[in-house]
């Protein structure tokens, strides 16, 4: 009750003690403060802002917070004032028991730069606990034969405070026979002993009641009392004696329950009942859980609860030995718990990021974490490691804090995410380890342009294609992700034959499919050179180009075109001359044709489609030469009509035809004599014109025949030689027998002379083609004279003549 009355006065001392608590020092990132226990919640502990070199308002901006491991938070930050304050009731005895110094450690974290500062707060003791005895009444028995000066150890009182506030003295209430003596043990504790001052007389008083007072040194002083009941007995004048004044034993913390760790032994010089000893553990106030069991008869100490070095490094057991009549003695057993490596390291993740851009510089902080091992010594020495193949490393900070940082720039296209395993290993034997997983996503940036699988492309499209037809498809791949990998396609702006390329082809910007915007003509152009651009949707966008060669494939869309014989524009009909003396194989004329297509579509073949005299003429399949198939006979008609077909090799093949009129006669007069056989329309208006035309042709023929006769006389020998050469074929294999004899007399073949007469009954114009050279393979010889223009005889000319 006295202790409770003094307690308010002790609380009044908190304020002065609190004002003296601003003891702080900062060395190597550590701050120390001191605060008394039992102060009110929210009380000032220290000026954190000042000690960190910051303004009070900057604490919130920089994310200052308290970081501690697995315990109730005793302190808090007043961000407005920049101070460290208490977060609740602080009981020194609950936190540190009987330790001389009670230190609470935690860390202060600056979030913006991930800096850690160690904080150490010492909890000072106040006199808030009165001394207490284990029992309210102690019963003693003493023989009446006990001589003065006999000492009886008494139960000690226990004060939870420390220092001056701890137990300081014992006092014994007034009596006639006993006094009190206090002895200090090896551990510094005070043990009261009752000293007999004068002999006892059981007949005068069988029981003595004493009051023992225990006081501490606090201000105000607090005390506790215990009643002592002394029963006077006869004879038993010896107390038990232990074999050792103090027992010490070391036990590993993994020792199994039920193991006997020690046996205490005490002896009594008395005999019989007075020498029967029983062992009892001395109960301490507030001690609820028992780790050991003391066998009362044998003195064996047995483990009844698992030991844990991390909870208690040693245990003190006060043991009493009491004989039959009640005399006792005490001893102390100190059990030292040896640490074994039974705790793996523990991770406390303070801060971590889940995503980082792939262009982050070397040294970017990914995570900040703390590792702790509850073991001690070498068993608590922790090393952290990472797999060697990862582009990360660990940087150690204060108080076993580590930073996980990058060692080089990351590349999302190679590895898009990392599952980082951090391994913490202690130094025990065998060592224990713990793994922590940090999942990191690498955020994409637009650092890769689209790429085509080929350096160039070639595409083919047949001519005469449909407009809008699909031509080709190109695809580019971008190893980036999302918008950075979305590819669009376009064509480079160029011109083809003066027109933009966009008028020829287009490309789907999403799929890369090219479409024809017009029908292509192989004969107009055969290929197009295009550039396709692939661009991504990044910011800024990246692009790449690839060349595309578009080849137009020829189709058989052009029929052969006949160059010779050409059709006169005036509607007249050309006539070829074949002398009756021509031998088989005589070259009458040659059909010359071309095809605007190419390749197989332009390969031409010739055939005789129709003839007025079958079997008389033959046409070269590949050359188009019209030759006599047999010798001409008198019975063969003067006029022979031939229809020659020219066909290409396309699919399907296309063809053209030409009609040839061959006059069978040895000379021009023969032709003129037989002109009447050529059937003309009976038109009375044109009959006069035809008569005049026949007269004109006859006159011209006579003049020309006179010229030929003179020429024959002058060149008879050379003409004869030429005939021999023609018959032998040597040296003239590529020359036909139908060459024209030039005026220069180099090569004159009379029979090779040919002329063409065109007579029309329904036109006012007719023409006469004078002789021209006629080779087997070409229409006009390079050595011939200039081509004579057809002689056009108009109606006016005939009238003049």
């Amino acid at each position: 009750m006295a202790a409770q009355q003094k307690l308010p006065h002790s609380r009044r001392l908190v304020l002065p003690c609190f004002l003296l608590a601003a003891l702080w020092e900062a060395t190597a990132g550590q701050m120390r403060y001191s605060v008394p226990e039992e102060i009110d919640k929210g009380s000032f502990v220290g000026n954190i802002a000042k000690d960190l070199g910051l303004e009070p308002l900057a604490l919130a901006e920089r994310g200052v917070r308290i970081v501690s491991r697995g315990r109730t938070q005793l302190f808090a930050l007043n961000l407005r004032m920049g101070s460290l304050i208490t977060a609740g009731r602080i009981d020194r005895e609950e936190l540190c028991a009987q330790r001389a110094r009670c230190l609470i450690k935690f860390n202060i974290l600056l979030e913006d730069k991930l800096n850690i500062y160690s904080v150490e707060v010492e909890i000072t003791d106040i006199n808030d606990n009165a001394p207490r005895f284990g029992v309210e009444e102690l019963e003693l028995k003493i023989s009446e034969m006990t001589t003065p000066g006999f000492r009886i150890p008494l139960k000690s009182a226990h004060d939870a405070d420390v220092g001056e506030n701890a137990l300081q003295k014992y006092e014994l209430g007034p009596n006639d026979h006993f006094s009190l003596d206090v002895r200090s043990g090896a551990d510094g504790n005070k043990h009261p002993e009752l000293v007999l001052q004068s002999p006892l007389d059981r007949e005068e008083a069988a029981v003595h009641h004493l009051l023992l007072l225990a006081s501490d040194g606090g201000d105000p002083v607090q005390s506790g009392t215990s009643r002592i009941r002394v029963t006077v007995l006869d004879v038993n004048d010896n107390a038990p004696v232990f074999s050792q004044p103090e027992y010490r034993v070391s036990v590993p913390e993994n020792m199994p329950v039920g193991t006997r760790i020690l046996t205490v032994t005490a002896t009594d010089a008395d005999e019989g009942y007075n020498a029967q000893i029983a062992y009892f553990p001395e109960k301490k106030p507030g001690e609820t859980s028992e780790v050991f069991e003391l066998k009362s008869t044998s003195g064996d100490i047995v483990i009844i609860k698992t030991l844990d070095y991390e909870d208690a490094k040693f245990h003190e057991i006060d043991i009493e030995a009491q004989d039959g009549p009640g005399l006792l003695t005490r001893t102390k057993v100190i059990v030292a718990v040896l640490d074994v490596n039974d705790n793996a390291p523990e991770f406390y993740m303070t801060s971590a990021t889940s995503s980082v851009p792939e262009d982050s510089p070397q040294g970017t902080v990914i995570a900040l974490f703390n590792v702790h091992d509850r073991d001690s010594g070498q068993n608590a020495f922790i090393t952290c490691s990472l797999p060697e193949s990862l582009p990360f490393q660990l940087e150690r900070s204060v108080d076993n804090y580590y930073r996980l940082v990058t060692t080089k720039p990351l590349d999302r296209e190679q590895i898009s995410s990392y599952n980082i395993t951090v391994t913490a290993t202690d130094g025990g034997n065998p060592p224990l380890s713990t793994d922590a997983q940090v999942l990191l996503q690498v955020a994409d940036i637009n650092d890769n342009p689209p790429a085509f699988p080929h350096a160039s492309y070639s595409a083919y499209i047949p001519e005469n294609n449909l407009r809008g037809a699909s031509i080709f498809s190109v695809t580019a791949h971008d190893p980036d992700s999302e918008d950075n990998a979305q590819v669009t396609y376009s064509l480079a702006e160029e011109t083809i034959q003066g027109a933009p390329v966009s008028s020829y082809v287009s490309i789907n910007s999403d799929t890369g499919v090219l479409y024809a915007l017009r029908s292509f003509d192989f004969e107009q152009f055969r290929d197009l050179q295009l550039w396709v651009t692939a661009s991504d949707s990044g910011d800024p966008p990246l692009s790449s180009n690839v060349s595309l060669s578009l080849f137009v494939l020829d189709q058989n869309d052009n029929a052969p075109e006949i160059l010779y014989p050409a059709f006169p524009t005036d509607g007249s009909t050309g006539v070829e001359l074949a002398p009756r003396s021509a031998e088989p194989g005589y070259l009458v004329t040659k059909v010359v044709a071309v095809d605007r297509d190419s390749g197989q579509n332009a390969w031409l073949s010739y055939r005789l489609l129709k003839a007025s005299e079958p079997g008389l003429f033959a046409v070269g399949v590949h050359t188009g030469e019209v030759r006599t198939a047999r010798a001409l006979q008198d019975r063969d008609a003067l006029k022979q009509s031939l229809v020659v077909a020219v066909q290409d090799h396309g699919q399907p093949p296309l063809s053209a035809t030409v009609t040839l009129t061959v006059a069978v006669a040895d000379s021009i007069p023969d032709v003129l004599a037989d002109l009447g056989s050529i059937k003309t329309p009976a038109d009375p208006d044109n009959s006069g014109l035809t008569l005049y035309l026949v007269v004109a042709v006859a006159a011209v023929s006579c003049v020309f025949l006179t010229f030929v006769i003179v020429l024959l006389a002058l060149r008879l020998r050379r003409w004869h030689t030429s005939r021999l050469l023609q018959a032998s074929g040597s040296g003239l294999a590529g020359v036909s027998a139908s060459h024209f004899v030039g005026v220069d007399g180099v090569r004159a073949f009379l029979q090779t002379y040919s002329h063409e007469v065109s007579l029309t009954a329904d036109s006012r114009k007719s023409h006469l083609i004078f002789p021209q050279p006629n080779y087997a393979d070409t229409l006009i010889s390079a050595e011939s004279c200039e081509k004579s223009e057809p002689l056009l005889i108009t109606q006016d000319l005939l009238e003049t003549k």
Side-chain angles (χ1 to χ4, degrees):
M1 191 66 179
Q4 294 177 352
Q5 294 175 352
K6 294 178 182 180
L7 185 58
H9 179 69
S10 67
R11 289 189 179 274
R12 289 194 296 270
L13 294 178
V14 169
L15 183 59
C17 295
F18 167 75
L19 295 176
L20 295 177
L23 300 175
W24 170 86
E25 63 176 295
T27 57
Q30 189 174 49
M31 293 173 281
R32 293 187 175 90
Y33 301 94
S34 177
V35 64
E37 64 174 332
E38 301 293 345
I39 61 176
D40 295 332
K41 178 181 179 180
S43 298
F44 176 85
V45 177
N47 192 338
I48 288 293
K50 178 181 177 182
D51 298 336
L52 292 176
L54 302 174
E55 293 296 328
L57 296 180
L59 295 182
E61 297 176 356
R62 300 191 63 177
V64 178
R65 61 185 177 92
I66 295 177
V67 180
S68 61
R69 296 190 302 268
R71 67 166 63 195
T72 303
Q73 190 58 257
L74 302 177
F75 302 95
L77 291 174
N78 186 332
L79 298 179
R80 184 175 61 86
M81 302 299 295
S83 59
L84 180 67
I85 60 174
T86 58
R89 175 177 174 270
I90 301 176
D91 188 352
R92 182 192 181 283
E93 288 73 35
E94 181 180 349
L95 295 174
C96 303
Q98 294 292 315
R99 289 202 295 267
R101 295 189 67 192
C102 183
L103 300 177
I104 303 299
K105 295 181 179 180
F106 55 90
N107 300 105
I108 297 293
L109 171 65
L110 271 66
E111 285 281 2
D112 61 338
K113 293 186 177 180
L114 298 180
N115 290 334
I116 292 292
Y117 295 87
S118 296
V119 179
E120 184 180 275
V121 179
E122 181 179 3
I123 309 301
T124 58
D125 185 54
I126 63 172
N127 192 24
D128 58 343
N129 292 282
R132 293 179 56 191
F133 289 89
V135 293
E136 294 183 358
E137 183 176 8
L138 178 63
E139 184 173 350
L140 299 177
K141 295 178 180 180
I142 185 170
S143 174
E144 63 178 349
M145 299 300 295
T146 303
T147 60
F150 182 76
R151 311 173 76 88
I152 303 174
L154 302 177
K155 299 285 186 181
S156 298
H158 295 274
D159 193 334
D161 296 325
V162 296
E164 292 296 327
N165 297 325
L167 177 66
Q168 298 294 327
K169 62 180 180 178
Y170 291 94
E171 295 178 356
L172 187 64
N175 64 88
D176 297 329
H177 298 277
F178 299 93
S179 65
L180 186 66
D181 186 19
V182 180
R183 290 187 177 184
S184 296
D187 55 359
N189 294 331
K190 295 179 173 57
H191 302 288
E193 293 183 350
L194 190 64
V195 180
L196 181 62
Q197 295 292 332
S198 59
L200 297 174
D201 187 356
R202 182 180 176 279
E203 285 71 22
E204 291 182 358
V207 178
H208 300 269
H209 294 281
L210 307 175
L211 183 63
L212 181 62
L213 175 67
S215 304
D216 60 21
D219 186 11
V221 176
Q222 300 196 55
S223 61
T225 59
S226 177
R227 298 187 300 275
I228 301 175
R229 185 173 183 271
V230 181
T231 301
V232 180
L233 300 176
D234 290 334
V235 181
N236 188 25
D237 55 354
N238 292 287
V241 177
F242 282 98
S243 59
Q244 298 180 22
E246 184 176 88
Y247 294 86
R248 291 181 176 272
V249 63
S250 297
V251 181
E253 61 176 326
N254 59 350
M255 186 72 73
V257 174
T259 303
R260 179 180 63 85
I261 61 171
L262 182 67
T263 299
V264 294
T265 304
T267 58
D268 194 314
D270 295 326
E271 295 181 348
Y273 176 74
N274 296 330
Q276 294 180 1
I277 300 174
Y279 303 95
F280 305 97
E282 184 178 0
K283 295 290 185 180
K284 293 183 179 179
E287 188 176 54
T288 57
S289 61
E290 295 183 352
V291 181
F292 304 98
E293 179 186 8
L294 176 62
K295 303 294 185 181
S296 60
T297 56
S298 63
D300 294 337
I301 300 176
V302 180
I303 300 173
I304 60 174
K305 184 179 178 181
T306 303
L307 301 177
D308 191 348
Y309 175 84
E310 289 69 38
D311 289 343
K313 296 178 178 57
F314 61 88
H315 297 271
E316 293 184 1
I317 308 174
D318 292 327
I319 298 177
E320 296 177 346
Q322 184 175 350
D323 59 16
L327 295 180
L328 58 85
T329 187
R330 73 172 52 83
T331 188
K332 182 186 291 287
V333 177
I334 299 176
V335 181
V337 181
L338 302 180
D339 182 42
V340 296
N341 192 28
D342 59 344
N343 291 282
E346 299 173 355
F347 280 91
Y348 298 92
M349 193 63 64
T350 304
S351 178
T353 181
S354 60
S355 177
V356 62
E358 61 178 322
D359 61 345
S360 298
Q362 178 181 347
T364 300
V365 179
I366 304 302
L368 175 68
F369 60 91
N370 176 263
V371 289
H372 173 69
D373 196 313
R374 298 181 61 198
D375 295 323
S376 64
Q378 187 66 24
N379 295 333
F381 181 77
I382 302 174
T383 56
C384 293
S385 61
L386 292 172
E388 295 181 356
S389 60
L390 296 180
F392 305 98
Q393 68 179 9
L394 295 173
E395 295 180 352
R396 187 165 186 170
S397 183
V398 298
D399 293 340
N400 277 341
Y401 274 89
Y402 288 84
R403 290 188 182 93
L404 177 63
V405 299
T406 60
T407 59
K408 63 179 182 181
L410 307 178
D411 190 350
R412 191 205 67 84
E413 286 69 43
Q414 293 184 357
I415 302 177
S416 60
S417 64
Y418 292 89
N419 190 2
I420 307 169
T421 301
V422 183
T423 302
T425 307
D426 61 24
N429 187 17
L432 300 178
S433 63
T434 302
D435 292 339
Q437 306 293 329
V438 179
L439 183 60
L440 179 66
Q441 298 290 336
V442 182
D444 182 49
I445 65 169
N446 192 26
D447 57 346
N448 291 280
F452 290 94
H454 303 286
S456 62
Y457 293 89
S458 297
Y460 301 88
I461 181 172
E463 64 173 334
N464 305 319
N465 59 285
L466 297 176
R467 295 182 60 185
S470 174
I471 303 174
F472 193 66
S473 175
V474 294
T475 302
H477 174 68
D478 195 315
D480 294 324
S481 64
E482 298 180 353
D483 289 343
N484 296 332
Q486 185 176 354
V487 181
T488 58
Y489 302 91
S490 61
L491 292 175
E493 289 296 334
E494 295 181 359
T495 58
I496 300 176
Q497 295 183 354
V501 70
S502 58
S503 65
Y504 290 90
V505 293
S506 67
I507 188 169
N508 188 308
S509 61
D510 296 325
T511 62
V513 178
L514 282 87
Y515 298 94
L517 298 181
R518 63 168 63 181
S519 180
F520 294 101
D521 188 354
F522 177 81
E523 288 71 36
Q524 182 180 1
F525 54 82
R526 300 188 176 187
D527 63 84
L528 288 82
Q529 296 297 325
L530 309 175
W531 283 95
V532 180
T533 301
S535 304
D536 60 27
S537 301
D539 185 20
L542 301 178
S543 63
S544 60
N545 299 326
V546 69
S547 64
L548 172 62
S549 298
L550 180 60
F551 296 97
V552 181
L553 300 179
D554 182 44
Q555 299 289 310
N556 193 26
D557 59 342
N558 291 282
E561 180 180 351
I562 298 175
L563 301 180
Y564 182 84
F567 293 100
T569 59
D570 57 359
S572 60
T573 304
V575 178
E576 301 288 342
L577 181 63
R580 289 188 180 273
S581 60
E583 297 180 357
Y586 174 81
L587 177 63
V588 178
T589 185
K590 179 176 181 178
V591 178
V592 179
V594 295
D595 196 315
R596 295 178 60 194
D597 295 322
S598 65
Q600 185 174 345
N601 297 327
W603 295 353
L604 301 180
S605 61
Y606 303 83
R607 64 188 176 92
L608 185 60
L609 188 63
K610 182 179 179 182
S612 57
E613 186 72 30
L616 182 57
F617 297 98
V619 178
V621 176
H622 301 296
T623 63
E625 296 175 346
V626 179
R627 295 178 181 270
T628 57
R630 60 176 175 81
L632 297 176
Q633 300 174 2
D634 294 337
R635 59 182 177 84
D636 294 327
L638 170 65
K639 177 185 175 183
Q640 297 290 331
S641 179
L642 306 177
V643 178
V644 179
V646 184
Q647 180 175 291
D648 59 25
H649 287 71
Q651 291 295 331
L654 301 177
S655 63
T657 60
V658 62
T659 301
L660 303 175
T661 301
V662 180
V664 180
D666 290 329
S667 63
I668 294 300
D670 294 338
V671 176
L672 296 177
D674 295 336
L675 284 176
S677 64
I678 300 176
K679 194 174 182 179
T680 58
D683 190 345
D685 295 333
N686 295 328
S687 61
L689 175 62
T690 302
L691 177 61
Y692 287 117
L693 181 59
V694 171
V695 173
V697 171
V700 172
S701 298
C702 290
V703 174
F704 187 75
L705 284 175
T706 302
F707 170 75
V708 172
I709 293 171
V710 173
L711 186 61
L712 285 175
L714 296 176
R715 304 300 179 183
L716 181 58
R717 184 179 178 179
R718 187 175 297 278
W719 174 83
H720 181 67
T721 305
S722 299
R723 289 287 294 173
L724 294 176
L725 292 174
Q726 177 184 358
S728 62
S730 61
L732 297 174
V735 180
S736 172
S738 62
H739 294 311
F740 172 72
V741 178
V743 179
D744 57 358
V746 177
R747 277 183 278 178
F749 301 94
L750 180 58
Q751 69 276 22
T752 64
Y753 167 78
S754 65
H755 62 275
E756 183 175 317
V757 179
S758 296
L759 302 177
T760 61
D762 55 351
S763 174
R764 296 186 61 85
K765 292 183 181 180
S766 297
H767 68 272
L768 175 65
I769 300 177
F770 282 91
Q772 299 181 35
N774 193 356
Y775 290 95
D777 296 315
T778 60
L779 180 61
I780 300 174
S781 172
E783 298 177 356
S784 65
C785 61
E786 294 184 355
K787 178 179 179 182
S788 300
E789 295 293 334
L791 177 61
L792 298 180
I793 306 173
T794 64
Q795 182 66 30
D796 296 337
L797 180 60
L798 292 175
E799 292 177 354
T800 303
K801 288 184 179 296

